[in-house]
Structure formats: C-alpha cells, structure tokens
Amino acid sequence: DWIKQQWTEAGIDSIVVHPYDVLLSYPKQNDSNYVSIKLANGTEIEQSQRKELVIDAEQNDPNVVDPFNAYSPPGEPEAELVYVNFATIEDFIALNRTYKINTVGKICISRYGRIFRGDKAVHAELYGCIGLILYSDPLDYTSIPKIGFFPPTGAQRGTLWVDNGDPRTPNYPSIRDAWHQSNSSLTLPKIPVTPIGNIDAIKYLSKMGGPEVPTDWRGGMNITYRFGPGFALEHVNRYVMKLSPTAVTVMCFKSYLPDRYVLLGNHRDAWVFGAIDPSSGTATLMELVRGFGAMLKRGWRPRRTLVFCSWGAEEYGLIGSTEWVEELQKELQARAVAYLNVDIAVQGNYSLAANGVASLSQAVFDAAKTVSNPNPTEVSSGRLTLYDTWKLRYPASVGDKPSYYGLGSGSDFTAFLQIIGIPSSIGLASYPVYHSVYETFELVNKFVDPGFKIHLAMAQVWGELARKLADVPILPVDCRVYATDLAQKRDALYQQYGSKMESNGIDFSQLNDTILIFTTSADNIHKRIASIDSTNAYETRMINDQLMQLERAFIDQNPLPGRVAYRHVISAPSQHNTYGSTAFPAVVDAMFDIDVDPDQTGRWDEVRRQYSILVFHILSAAA
Amino acid sequence: DWIKQQWTEAGIDSIVVHPYDVLLSYPKQNDSNYVSIKLANGTEIEQSQRKELVIDAEQNDPNVVDPFNAYSPPGEPEAELVYVNFATIEDFIALNRTYKINTVGKICISRYGRIFRGDKAVHAELYGCIGLILYSDPLDYTSIPKIGFFPPTGAQRGTLWVDNGDPRTPNYPSIRDAWHQSNSSLTLPKIPVTPIGNIDAIKYLSKMGGPEVPTDWRGGMNITYRFGPGFALEHVNRYVMKLSPTAVTVMCFKSYLPDRYVLLGNHRDAWVFGAIDPSSGTATLMELVRGFGAMLKRGWRPRRTLVFCSWGAEEYGLIGSTEWVEELQKELQARAVAYLNVDIAVQGNYSLAANGVASLSQAVFDAAKTVSNPNPTEVSSGRLTLYDTWKLRYPASVGDKPSYYGLGSGSDFTAFLQIIGIPSSIGLASYPVYHSVYETFELVNKFVDPGFKIHLAMAQVWGELARKLADVPILPVDCRVYATDLAQKRDALYQQYGSKMESNGIDFSQLNDTILIFTTSADNIHKRIASIDSTNAYETRMINDQLMQLERAFIDQNPLPGRVAYRHVISAPSQHNTYGSTAFPAVVDAMFDIDVDPDQTGRWDEVRRQYSILVFHILSAAA
C-alpha cells in the first residue's frame, strides 16, 4: 500500500496489484526448531539457540521470525552426525568414493556457501541423510571486517525450494480458482533442515569423531574439523505450511509504443529487517520512480513503456515474479524488450558488479560510464565513473572490459529469462549478515553506505540503462557480443569435455560451423543497423523485433531435463547449483560424472541428443 | 524440380528447398503383404490379392506400390478373426462390455472410415489384438455413383503414424546431423496392419461364426455380418523401413513488410497417382503462383510476404510440413499471419466446403462471395457465387451462414496450428477412390471436374483469401466470431458433461465469466479497429500484432496430455480420432469414459486441472 501510494504521488496513475494465493512455510514461532545432542539415557544436552541474540536494540522486535529454512518438512530425526563440507554434489561424491564415509541414515551438517542451500538439501536427501543442519562458518562469513560482520549467534534463513514459483502450481499462475496439486504430491524436500549459528555449530563439530577432513574442507573455527560420524543428535523440526496471499505491484508509464515494455523489478519481502536484501534495491527503485515521475511532469515521455515491478515472496522461491510471468507469459513474450532486476543494490563500496545476458553487456557498460564515481578516493585516483572502478576491480579475463557473467537463478529475473527468453541484466551477491536478524537499517546507514551515495549511484546506472532501452530508436542489443560469448562457451566446453565427447562420436565441427553461421548473422544485422533509415517506422520496428527476439530463440519448447521451469539452452543454473550459471546446461548436466554411469549407451545418447538440440537452437537464433 | 522450375518461370527468384532425411516405410514390392485362411493341416487357402486389379490402362504402371499401411511392423501372426466395426474406442468398449467378445490374442478386421486409421491400430493394440486388417466396405465407399466409384479390388493405402513429423525426431527438425531415436525406441504400431479390398473381405466375413452384429455395425455387402471369432487366419506382413530424403520447397514473394508472412501450402506426394489427393490441390497452387506471378509482372506488390509451400511426405504423417515448422518455429511464431492449406481441392461439384479457425471464417466467406459459380445450374437457380451454393448445401446450424468447422488433423495445417498457433483455414475431405490405384487423371478429367472449372474456382477463392490477408492494412481476423465460437463450445461441453462436472465440484461460472471477459475484449478491439488511423504505421502494426497473436494465446507451453505435438487448448483432435476436431480437447479427453475408472479421485483431479488450464488460456487470450 505504501509503495502504491508513493508511486501514485510520483505522478503515475496506472498501478495494478496482482494478488496470488501461494503456499508458504513458517516455523512455529513459540515452539521453534532446535538441535541437541542426545545421551544414551534419552537426555538432551547442548540444545541449540532458537533465537538469534539481540546485540543492538534495533534488532529487538517481537515480529522477528526465528531462524528456519522454508519448506523443510517437520520431523524429529535422531541419528549420528556427519560433516559434509558445503554439501555440493562433488562433496558427497568425495565422501562416498574417496573418504568412504557412509551418509545413509545420518544427520549431516554443512557449511553455508558455494551453492544454493536448496541444492544442499537435495544432495543430502539423495545420499540417504535423514536430516540436514546448515551453519555459517566464520571462514566464509566474516570476510569484510566490521561492515556486516556476522556474529556467531547469527543464522541464515532461506528457502529450500529449488524450482520457482508457488510449489502448488508449476507452469501455471496461482490466480483465483486455479487448480493446484495436493500438498502430498508437491516436490518439496523430504528431510528436515534447520540453520544454526556457529556458536552452536562449534559445540557439535568440536566433539566429532572420525578421520580429519582435508585442508580445503576446513572452516575457520579453532577446532579440528572431522568427518564424523559423531554422537547421536536429535533434530527437532517444527514447521507449518499455509496459504498466504502475496502480491505483485506493477506500474506502467504509458508511452509512445504502448506494446513494447522495458521492465524493472525488485522484491519487497525480506526474511527479517532486510535492510540490504531487498531494501537497498527497493530504495533504489523508489528513487528511480520518483525521478522518472519528475521527468514525466516536465513533459518527457519514453518511446517504449516503462514497467516497474515490486515483487512479493521472492525469498520463498521467486514466487511473485514467477506467478506473474506465468500469468502474462503470452503478453510478455510478444512485447517485453528487457527486464532489469535489482535485488541487493548495495552491499559495500568496493565496486559496481553486474551480470546479465551477453547482448546487453555493452548497454550496461555504457550506462556505468555515465555515472560519476561516488567514492572520492576513486575519483582522486582518476577513476571518474563507476565503469572505471568496475573495470579495475573486476577485470574481464579477455579484453579491456569489466567482468560480466551470465545469469543463473536466485532472483526475480529467472522467470523472465528462463520461461520466455526476455533479456535480463544486473545480478545480486551475498554478504555475511544476509538473511539474518543483523541486517538492519543502522548497519547500512553507519557502515555500508553512509549518506546513501552509493544507493544513488546505483539508481543512476539502473535508470540510465532503462531510459536508453526505453528511449533510443534502435534497441541497444549487441548480437556480436553474443556471438563472441557463444564461442567462449564453446571453448570452455571443449576444454572441459572435448576429447571425451569426440571419442564418443560427437563432432565439434557442427557446433563450430553453427557458431560461425550465428556470427555472420550477427555481423549482418549490425551492418543493416548502421545503414538503417531510423525515421522509417517499419524498418526500425522490424529490426527492433529481431533484436528483441534473439533471446527468445534460445528457449526450448521443452524444459531442460529434470527441470520444470528452465528452458534456456545457452545459460541456466546447473542441476547441482541453482545459483550458478552454466553454459550449455543440458549438455553439461548430461556429461556430469558420466564415467561411473552403468548405462553408458543411454547416457551418451542423451549427451548427443542435447548437443543436437543446442546446435539446432543456435541455428534457429541465427535465422 | 519441376515445381521449382515452374515457379521460377512465374517470375519468382526466392525459392528455397529444405531437405530432411526422414524415416519412411514400404512393402516389399516383389513379395508384398497378404492375408489367408489357414487350415488345421497348415494349408493356406483364400489368399488375398496382393495388387489391385487394373481396370483401365492408365492404372497399369510398374511403379504402383502395392497396398500397405505405412509404419506397420512386419510379422506373420496367426489367430482367429474378430469383426470390430470401425475400430473406434466406442466399438471396442461395446465389444468388451456389451457383446462380451474377447479380442485378446485375435486378429481383428475393421471397416475403413469414421476415424483415422492410425487410431484403429492403437485401439486394436490396446485391446490385445495381434493383427489388424482394414477394408473399405461398399456401404461407406460407394456413396457417389459413377464419380469415384470404388471397385471391390481397391484397397486404401495410408499411414498409421498418429503423431506428426519424422517419427525419429519428435519436437525437433530432421536437419543434417540431428539426433534421432533409435528404431527400437520409436512409438510406432506394434501389431501388423494391412489393407485389403472388399473382394477379399467378403470371403472372410461371410464365413465368420459368433453372434450377429447389431444393425449399425452392418456394412453393405450381401452377407450376414457376425462378430466372430472365426477361423484361423494368417496375416503375412512384410515391410521395410528406410531413410528417404523428403523435401519442402518454399517460395516467397518479397513485399512491403518482409517480416509478416501469409503462407499457402499443399503437399506433393501421393500414394499412387494421386489425381485428387493431392494433385487437385497442387494444380490449384500452381495456377495461383502463375496468377500472382502475372500480377507481380504488372507491378503489384503485396503489403505482406506471400509464402508458397510444397510439402513432401505428407501421406506418411505430415512429415515435410511438420519438420519445416519445427525448424522455423521461432521465425514463424514471430511472423506468420496465417496459413492456408489446400490438400484435396476438388472431389466433386456439389459445393465448396471450408473449415478453419473461427477468427478467419468471415474472411473465407468474403472470399467465396467474390467467386462466380462454375456450375451453370446453380447460376440459373440464382446462386451466383460459390458462397451462395455453400450456404444452401451446408447451412450452419445457427445463423444465416455456411457451416465452417474447427480443425482436427489430417493435413499440413496441423503443425502450424498445434505447435505455434498460426491461424489456419481450408480443410480436406474424403471420397471413395482415396489412396487407391483408381485415383487417376482420367477419373478427374472425365467425371470429377471436366474442363477443370471447379479447380479454377478453388484457385480463385484461395487466391482472394490470400491476397486479402497479404494486402489489407488491418488483418481480416474477427475476434468476435471467436468469442461466439467459444460460447458455443462451452454450451456443447455443458450439454454433454455439465451436470456430471458440476456434481464433481467444477464451477461452470468460471468458464462463463472468462468467456464474457474474452467477449468484451473482442468487442473492444473491433471498436478500436473501427476508429484507427490506418496511415499511422505504429497503430496499424500494433493492432495487427494483437490480431496475429490471438491464436498463439491458446497454445499451452506443455503438450496436451498423452500427446507429443498438440498444444492448442481450444481445438485439437480427440485422443481417439486424429482426424476429428474436438472442442476443449484436454478437458473432453479427461472426461472420456470417466465413470468406469477405478481411480475416481485421480481422474477428477485431472479434469479439474485441465479445466483450470483452459480457463487460464482464455483469460490470457483476452488480455
């Protein structure tokens, strides 16, 4: 309501609220989860804290939800404890094959980090564990001194849902009267999962038996890290699932071309106070709307329609944005030019960092070049713009540019890119206090961005990128960069798997030829753009449609194998880490750990099938 | 090559041939299939003819392929014979439940007609038969005296493939190096199937035992039709599968709007001489190209691009058109305005009959009104145009219009409509000599259309419809007719299943409300069209895009249940008859024979799910 009012005051009257009833999960607030060591006589000792310690008055709020992992089932498993490092698929493979640690029937404890926590639960379940405990190791979660230092009592909340959107309605929106799966047939985790602080983790890990872990499995606590198995642990997990309304607020500026949309979005929900995630982004979005509103009042109108989106229930699994994209998929498929997501806008003052589809990289760089550096030290070092610092701090491995990676998942761009193929940009990152009670306004105000100057700079980058996409006659989409990116991805695939694939009858010249065809196509369209008559409405519209549709060409009509809502054949999360971006995901997933599969014929047939589908889509995009 | 040359001479230089290697099937030409009665001592008697009798010299050609059903497996089953009427799903249900005839382990014999022959094979397999014999009963195949009379020695060839396109590459094109399924994992029929003439059928059916069939199961031969089981039959089935190149020839007229396509298509392959199927259509298409070529030479240029397509391997399962649509799906999705299919153009002189998506009906009627009646008797009766005769001979059940039905499958419009949602029009029909050796040029020249005046009239209707779609500033797509059509389909569903659905908790007011929303939307867009400034390039393009995308909105991102390539939620073939068009196919299929399903909960959940998906898509189309 507040956002709606602010946006109305900014001078915009076209505001729509899309309500959805979606399945969420909560701890029992007066009887929440804990972990304890259980003696042979049944006595519980060393019970973990149920609430995070209040260090500063502003954290003291009865509405703070106790640490929990959304969509964990309830349960009270008792079993011996095993340490599984980051619970990646590689960690479990090593535990099994190299270290011969049996995880079946055990409760496992994993550090947070490296991969999406939902995948940790999937792996634990796959390897027979009956419970999973997550903690934030000080090695991984105190990297920035003072700013966002993570107290040992802090526990990271977060969802375990590895698909996106309301778990009851895969592929379809949770609109009024929509059919939904019964709770018993949902594909949610089957083992209880709980986050704890390292103040508790150290009590358990310091008492573990079993052999010592290798160096790269060691965390930062002053103990000897051991695999286990340890003592008997009881894991008391009390959750409730319930339907809650979540809302998506959408605002449009009407424009010259009402059927072409440039969308900007940010989510509104937070696990606790959420001063960084998402409020740094939300503050930035509010400022942008205010600024664009002021321009409207001065008579400016964009060529294309600007659409601002405020999402609900992102933290549970991108639920608001996914339901909305599912509902409007035909309209967005026909009309959306780009989606620009900002989740965490500011987490420190080191550098701008942005990710996205390759075709928008140059547009993002160009926007960053227009924004003055908010850091006086950087300015005095001659780096006058955000771009200059970015290029210095995060240089790309090739060429004189900043790094700019592809998109995995983990924020609201996912449905736009993976269901429809809408080019998306600007990613997110993590930082110690993430999803804990310690992520407060004062933390941001005192340490992260005093004076909110970096927030303002972010609003300027985001706003300039949006303005340009909405305003210039020919869309700033660069197909040549996409061609280069495909070639780099091909090289990386070849380096990792090339000889193995070739010795199994896969002809890399097919992929090479196809990328050459794409490259020629990309060059040709930019030659046409260079000589276009931009006053000819048909010619500009025609070429803009082609630019808009480039990304659509990479969406397969079938979901990627084993997925529900991922269809992008060039860039999607790996099957084993929902956060990361994997190049040629279906091919790479088919290759994963292929050597130990007893069905070599079937597996290689699947690799060849996915390779063929990839080649087809690149040809289709070139056409 | 000949078509390409003709089209080049017509004055068009943009001709592309798209080759595909696809899996086809053939009889062993020197050792082809037959059926025989087998005595207890192993002697074969009453062997069926392997070739159709030559009645007229022009049928005498060594290249005539012996009667066969494509994609039947080879095999030599021996079993008792059972008569299964048309082998519809209802026929098998009646055999089982009402007449208590056991079909398991039997060879069944079915009349041709009512449903697609491929579905007959699916049903026979489902009910445990180990072989299927198809024959054309004189009751069903001599309806038009003299013209196309079907000799008792004639056997209808035809495919058994119930999905579309190359069976090796579902969903993807059979382009060079494409991955394909191994032959052992194809979803082709598992029981041998052969067509025979009724000269042979009468020998078997007249000797059958068992009870007499009910009246509506009787054919037109002078025998007593009995269920069987009869004597032991041997069914010798010899087939080979092989990869054959098939080609799709595509020609474009470049135009004012090169990225909007109006497509016209017809297939080129025939089972034997194919004077009606497809050559009546092919002749018409050739004449159209010649005509449009002449207009081009006089300086005419269409506003949108006209694309003429000549398909290969339609008879095997719409293979050429399906592979091409699969290959170009992204391009066609973005650009195709409509696809106009003519398979059989002329089969008699009774009346024009056309089918298609509801939104094009008015455009088809308008085109028919511009074409003079080629039949002097009709003209002297005051029916001056094709439209007048059509309205008289096939009046619609409601309103003062000709009948115009939705599309099922059975010709090359299928992939356009079902994979992408491209509005399609003009159907096809059947006639006695269909797919037999007796379908020759002389038959057409002497009986069907002496002087080829009706062929010319067909070219005029088809050409005028294409010209209008390609030329007028605002597309002649009528959304209001679609709204009326949805309401009629809703009424039909309600009449058939309404009370049963309501008593299982399905709320028809949801569908009613949704159709009202669609109707309001439809009225609104036509009000906007009435007041549009058609000189404004952006406004016209915007409204044309909405009109073009109407049909796309009904394509689900997932195939219909149990299907591979059908995604249209309003109109698709029933699961039990690939030829027929079923309204709301997924809902109707979920309701089929629901009462006897032991899993009532699961089945009704599926009905509710499909009902919800239908409602969602109508809302999406309205938006």
Side-chain angles (χ1 to χ4, degrees):
Chain A
D1 287 345
W2 179 80
I3 286 175
K4 196 174 164 183
Q5 190 205 319
Q6 293 286 310
W7 287 3
T8 307
E9 283 170 15
I12 298 99
D13 55 5
S14 164
I15 300 180
V16 187
V17 178
H18 291 253
Y20 303 102
D21 282 341
V22 301
L23 189 71
L24 303 183
S25 113
Y26 301 88
K28 290 192 171 169
Q29 190 62 9
N30 296 317
D31 184 18
S32 59
N33 315 319
Y34 67 93
V35 174
S36 65
I37 297 178
K38 200 148 189 184
L39 301 181
N41 64 11
T43 316
E44 282 184 355
I45 60 164
E46 308 277 18
Q47 212 176 77
S48 68
Q49 57 171 16
R50 301 193 191 191
K51 293 180 188 297
E52 291 160 299
L53 193 68
V54 171
I55 297 174
D56 192 285
E58 67 165 347
Q59 297 146 10
N60 197 1
D61 185 321
N63 290 319
V64 171
V65 71
D66 288 346
F68 79 113
N69 289 123
Y71 301 116
S72 166
E76 308 196 3
E78 291 180 32
E80 287 179 312
L81 189 66
V82 169
Y83 173 67
V84 297
N85 199 21
F86 290 103
T88 63
I89 194 77
E90 292 83 3
D91 289 337
F92 276 100
I93 289 172
L95 268 175
N96 248 267
R97 293 190 207 150
T98 312
Y99 307 117
K100 312 288 182 199
I101 304 290
N102 186 3
T103 51
V104 176
K106 303 291 192 293
I107 293 175
C108 61
I109 182 164
S110 162
R111 321 192 232 176
Y112 262 119
R114 295 243 171 119
I115 64 168
F116 173 55
R117 75 185 79 71
D119 294 307
K120 296 175 194 260
V122 170
H123 301 152
E125 203 175 305
L126 186 68
Y127 278 86
C129 302
I130 62 170
L132 168 63
I133 297 163
L134 297 166
Y135 82 101
S136 306
D137 195 282
L139 183 67
D140 312 303
Y141 285 84
T142 52
S143 53
I144 308 168
K146 242 170 105 178
I147 299 165
F149 173 79
F150 196 58
T153 52
Q156 185 190 117
R157 291 158 190 79
T159 188
L160 301 171
W161 175 226
V162 291
D163 290 323
N164 308 321
D166 184 353
R168 303 176 315 140
T169 58
N171 291 157
Y172 301 96
S174 292
I175 50 178
R176 186 179 72 95
D177 301 320
W179 176 90
H180 52 82
Q181 295 184 300
S182 63
N183 280 13
S184 62
S185 54
L186 303 176
T187 56
L188 295 172
K190 289 183 186 60
I191 61 171
V193 184
T194 300
I196 61 173
N198 63 52
I199 197 174
D200 287 313
I202 197 168
K203 293 189 292 187
Y204 309 130
L205 290 172
S206 63
K207 292 189 180 71
M208 291 284 271
E212 209 176 322
V213 301
T215 318
D216 57 338
W217 282 48
R218 286 179 202 150
M221 297 188 293
N222 189 20
I223 56 166
T224 303
Y225 285 77
R226 293 182 182 281
F227 287 117
F231 39 85
L233 210 72
E234 180 171 27
H235 178 181
V236 180
N237 216 295
R238 291 166 176 147
Y239 282 104
V240 285
M241 299 272 220
K242 61 182 180 194
L243 278 182
S244 297
T246 191
V248 170
T249 311
V250 178
M251 178 189 69
C252 295
F253 287 126
K254 297 210 179 72
S255 76
Y256 184 33
L257 287 175
D259 68 344
R260 286 298 175 268
Y261 307 156
V262 175
L263 301 110
L264 297 84
N266 158 266
H267 71 92
R268 192 171 60 234
D269 60 308
W271 284 121
V272 195
F273 303 109
I276 295 174
D277 176 7
S279 299
S280 61
T282 309
T284 308
L285 183 64
M286 299 309 286
E287 174 64 6
L288 263 190
V289 171
R290 200 195 56 75
F292 277 121
M295 286 168 69
L296 279 189
K297 284 173 192 159
R298 273 186 265 146
W300 174 80
R301 262 184 94 191
R303 184 181 179 91
R304 302 176 186 89
T305 300
L306 280 164
V307 180
F308 299 87
C309 308
S310 169
W311 310 118
E314 187 266 0
E315 293 294 1
Y316 278 86
L318 322 177
I319 290 182
S321 58
T322 303
E323 296 306 309
W324 192 73
V325 169
E326 285 172 351
E327 184 178 356
L328 275 72
Q329 60 182 280
K330 298 292 178 182
E331 182 177 339
L332 294 172
Q333 184 176 53
R335 300 179 174 179
V337 163
Y339 171 70
L340 308 175
N341 190 68
V342 173
D343 186 327
I344 296 159
V346 178
Q347 54 173 316
N349 63 1
Y350 187 69
S351 168
L352 173 68
N355 301 317
V357 298
S359 56
L360 290 182
S361 62
Q362 194 54 52
V364 176
F365 297 155
D366 290 345
K369 284 175 189 168
T370 68
V371 179
S372 302
N373 211 319
N375 184 331
T377 318
E378 289 293 296
V379 173
S380 64
S381 305
R383 291 183 288 278
L384 303 180
T385 70
L386 287 184
Y387 181 82
D388 300 329
T389 303
W390 184 10
K391 200 175 70 173
L392 178 80
R393 302 293 185 203
Y394 297 118
S397 56
V398 184
D400 186 29
K401 299 208 161 155
S403 69
Y404 177 93
Y405 299 105
L407 295 171
S409 180
S411 193
D412 291 305
F413 58 80
T414 309
F416 288 91
L417 184 62
Q418 293 292 338
I419 299 177
I420 305 180
I422 298 172
S424 305
S425 193
I426 301 200
L428 81 174
S430 192
Y431 50 91
V433 293
Y434 174 70
H435 289 190
S436 79
V437 76
Y438 307 111
E439 189 183 325
T440 60
F441 177 77
E442 282 308 314
L443 177 88
V444 177
N445 192 29
K446 282 187 193 150
F447 300 109
V448 178
D449 186 17
F452 291 86
K453 294 194 177 78
I454 301 167
H455 281 74
L456 181 63
M458 275 302 293
Q460 290 167 338
V461 184
W462 197 10
E464 170 58 9
L465 180 59
R467 187 204 62 76
K468 202 164 173 188
L469 280 160
D471 235 10
V472 298
I474 303 294
L475 290 172
V477 168
D478 197 320
C479 306
R480 292 163 301 198
V481 180
Y482 221 117
T484 311
D485 188 61
L486 285 174
Q488 283 170 0
K489 286 179 161 67
R490 188 254 346 259
D491 293 347
L493 179 72
Y494 192 81
Q495 201 175 355
Q496 195 179 1
Y497 292 122
S499 62
K500 190 176 280 186
M501 287 171 76
E502 284 186 336
S503 64
N504 279 276
I506 289 167
D507 180 1
F508 261 81
S509 72
Q510 277 180 47
L511 186 57
N512 294 344
D513 293 352
T514 304
I515 292 175
L516 279 179
I517 292 169
F518 182 92
T519 306
T520 307
S521 252
D523 289 342
N524 286 343
I525 197 171
H526 286 285
K527 276 181 205 144
R528 276 170 56 212
I529 289 170
S531 63
I532 202 172
D533 170 10
S534 68
T535 63
N536 181 322
Y538 288 111
E539 267 198 58
T540 54
R541 177 77 173 239
M542 202 180 307
I543 212 130
N544 280 329
D545 278 3
Q546 285 185 276
L547 293 170
M548 179 175 85
Q549 284 149 6
L550 168 61
E551 204 70 38
R552 310 279 200 280
F554 294 117
I555 297 298
D556 199 76
Q557 63 179 307
N558 299 309
L560 301 179
R563 315 300 182 82
V564 173
Y566 292 98
R567 292 170 188 258
H568 199 294
V569 299
I570 305 302
S571 185
S574 140
Q575 217 166 358
H576 306 293
N577 177 16
T578 303
Y579 279 164
S581 170
T582 299
F584 310 148
V587 174
V588 168
D589 278 349
M591 284 300 296
F592 180 77
D593 208 25
I594 194 168
D595 292 341
V596 301
D597 195 318
D599 178 16
Q600 286 291 301
T601 311
R603 272 293 288 276
W604 278 104
D605 202 41
E606 178 60 11
V607 175
R608 279 186 284 270
R609 190 169 94 89
Q610 295 304 336
Y611 181 78
S612 170
I613 290 172
L614 171 66
V615 165
F616 160 61
H617 279 289
I618 298 173
L619 280 174
S620 169
Chain B
D1 288 344
W2 178 79
I3 286 176
K4 195 173 163 181
Q5 189 204 319
Q6 293 286 310
W7 287 1
T8 308
E9 284 171 16
I12 298 98
D13 56 4
S14 164
I15 300 178
V16 187
V17 177
H18 291 252
Y20 303 102
D21 282 342
V22 300
L23 188 71
L24 303 183
S25 115
Y26 300 89
K28 290 192 169 169
Q29 190 62 11
N30 296 317
D31 185 18
S32 58
N33 315 320
Y34 67 92
V35 175
S36 66
I37 297 177
K38 199 147 189 184
L39 301 181
N41 63 11
T43 316
E44 281 183 357
I45 59 165
E46 306 277 19
Q47 212 176 77
S48 69
Q49 59 171 13
R50 303 193 189 193
K51 293 180 188 298
E52 291 160 298
L53 192 69
V54 170
I55 297 175
D56 194 285
E58 67 167 345
Q59 298 145 11
N60 198 2
D61 185 320
N63 290 319
V64 171
V65 72
D66 289 346
F68 78 114
N69 291 122
Y71 301 116
S72 165
E76 308 196 1
E78 292 180 32
E80 287 178 313
L81 189 64
V82 170
Y83 174 67
V84 297
N85 199 24
F86 290 104
T88 63
I89 193 78
E90 292 83 3
D91 290 336
F92 275 101
I93 288 172
L95 270 175
N96 248 265
R97 293 192 206 150
T98 313
Y99 307 117
K100 313 286 182 199
I101 305 290
N102 185 4
T103 51
V104 176
K106 304 290 192 294
I107 292 175
C108 61
I109 181 164
S110 162
R111 322 190 229 176
Y112 261 120
R114 296 243 171 120
I115 63 168
F116 173 55
R117 75 185 78 73
D119 295 307
K120 296 175 194 263
V122 170
H123 301 153
E125 203 174 306
L126 186 67
Y127 279 85
C129 303
I130 62 170
L132 167 64
I133 297 163
L134 296 167
Y135 81 101
S136 306
D137 196 283
L139 183 66
D140 312 303
Y141 285 84
T142 52
S143 54
I144 307 168
K146 242 170 107 176
I147 299 166
F149 174 81
F150 196 59
T153 53
Q156 184 191 118
R157 290 157 190 78
T159 189
L160 301 170
W161 175 226
V162 291
D163 292 322
N164 308 321
D166 183 354
R168 304 175 315 139
T169 58
N171 292 157
Y172 301 96
S174 292
I175 50 179
R176 185 178 73 95
D177 300 321
W179 175 90
H180 52 80
Q181 294 183 301
S182 64
N183 280 11
S184 62
S185 53
L186 303 176
T187 55
L188 295 173
K190 288 182 186 60
I191 62 171
V193 184
T194 299
I196 61 173
N198 62 51
I199 198 173
D200 287 313
I202 197 167
K203 293 189 291 186
Y204 309 131
L205 289 173
S206 64
K207 293 189 181 71
M208 292 282 271
E212 208 176 322
V213 300
T215 319
D216 58 339
W217 281 48
R218 288 177 202 152
M221 298 189 293
N222 188 20
I223 56 167
T224 303
Y225 285 76
R226 294 180 182 279
F227 287 118
F231 38 85
L233 209 73
E234 179 172 28
H235 177 182
V236 180
N237 216 294
R238 292 166 174 146
Y239 282 106
V240 286
M241 299 271 220
K242 61 182 179 192
L243 278 182
S244 297
T246 189
V248 170
T249 310
V250 177
M251 177 190 69
C252 295
F253 286 127
K254 296 210 181 72
S255 75
Y256 183 33
L257 287 175
D259 68 345
R260 285 298 176 268
Y261 306 156
V262 174
L263 301 111
L264 297 85
N266 158 267
H267 72 93
R268 189 172 62 235
D269 61 307
W271 284 121
V272 195
F273 303 108
I276 294 173
D277 175 8
S279 299
S280 61
T282 310
T284 309
L285 182 66
M286 299 308 286
E287 175 63 6
L288 263 190
V289 171
R290 199 196 55 76
F292 277 119
M295 285 166 71
L296 279 189
K297 284 172 192 158
R298 273 186 265 145
W300 173 81
R301 262 184 96 193
R303 183 181 180 90
R304 302 177 185 90
T305 300
L306 280 164
V307 181
F308 300 87
C309 309
S310 168
W311 311 117
E314 187 267 0
E315 293 293 2
Y316 278 87
L318 322 178
I319 290 182
S321 58
T322 302
E323 297 306 308
W324 191 74
V325 170
E326 285 171 353
E327 184 178 357
L328 274 72
Q329 58 181 283
K330 298 291 177 181
E331 181 176 339
L332 294 172
Q333 184 177 50
R335 300 179 176 179
V337 164
Y339 171 69
L340 307 175
N341 190 67
V342 172
D343 186 326
I344 295 158
V346 178
Q347 55 173 316
N349 64 0
Y350 188 68
S351 168
L352 173 67
N355 301 318
V357 298
S359 56
L360 290 182
S361 61
Q362 194 54 51
V364 176
F365 296 156
D366 289 346
K369 284 176 189 168
T370 68
V371 180
S372 300
N373 211 318
N375 184 329
T377 318
E378 288 294 295
V379 173
S380 63
S381 305
R383 290 181 289 276
L384 303 181
T385 70
L386 286 185
Y387 180 82
D388 300 328
T389 303
W390 185 9
K391 200 174 70 170
L392 178 80
R393 300 295 184 202
Y394 297 118
S397 56
V398 184
D400 187 29
K401 299 206 160 156
S403 68
Y404 178 94
Y405 299 106
L407 296 171
S409 181
S411 192
D412 291 306
F413 57 82
T414 309
F416 288 91
L417 183 61
Q418 293 291 337
I419 298 178
I420 304 181
I422 298 172
S424 304
S425 194
I426 301 198
L428 81 173
S430 191
Y431 48 90
V433 294
Y434 174 70
H435 289 189
S436 80
V437 76
Y438 306 113
E439 188 184 325
T440 60
F441 177 78
E442 281 307 315
L443 177 87
V444 177
N445 193 28
K446 282 188 192 150
F447 299 109
V448 179
D449 186 18
F452 291 85
K453 293 192 177 76
I454 300 167
H455 281 75
L456 181 62
M458 275 303 292
Q460 290 167 336
V461 183
W462 197 9
E464 170 60 9
L465 179 59
R467 187 205 61 77
K468 202 165 175 190
L469 280 160
D471 235 9
V472 296
I474 303 294
L475 289 172
V477 168
D478 198 320
C479 306
R480 291 163 303 198
V481 181
Y482 221 117
T484 311
D485 189 61
L486 286 175
Q488 282 169 0
K489 286 179 160 65
R490 188 248 351 252
D491 292 347
L493 179 71
Y494 192 82
Q495 201 174 358
Q496 196 178 2
Y497 292 123
S499 60
K500 192 176 280 186
M501 288 171 76
E502 284 186 336
S503 64
N504 280 277
I506 289 167
D507 180 2
F508 262 81
S509 71
Q510 277 180 46
L511 185 57
N512 294 344
D513 292 353
T514 304
I515 293 175
L516 279 180
I517 292 169
F518 183 91
T519 306
T520 307
S521 253
D523 289 342
N524 286 342
I525 197 171
H526 286 286
K527 276 181 206 144
R528 277 170 55 210
I529 290 171
S531 63
I532 203 172
D533 170 10
S534 67
T535 63
N536 181 322
Y538 288 111
E539 267 197 59
T540 55
R541 177 79 174 241
M542 201 179 309
I543 212 130
N544 280 328
D545 278 3
Q546 285 186 275
L547 293 169
M548 178 174 86
Q549 284 149 5
L550 167 62
E551 204 70 37
R552 312 279 199 277
F554 294 118
I555 297 298
D556 199 77
Q557 62 179 305
N558 300 308
L560 300 179
R563 316 299 183 81
V564 173
Y566 292 99
R567 292 169 187 256
H568 199 295
V569 298
I570 305 301
S571 186
S574 140
Q575 216 167 356
H576 306 292
N577 178 16
T578 302
Y579 279 164
S581 169
T582 298
F584 310 148
V587 175
V588 169
D589 278 349
M591 284 299 297
F592 181 77
D593 209 25
I594 194 169
D595 292 340
V596 302
D597 195 319
D599 178 16
Q600 286 290 300
T601 311
R603 272 294 288 278
W604 278 104
D605 202 41
E606 178 61 11
V607 175
R608 279 186 285 270
R609 190 170 93 90
Q610 294 304 337
Y611 182 78
S612 170
I613 291 171
L614 171 65
V615 165
F616 161 62
H617 279 290
I618 298 174
L619 280 175
S620 169

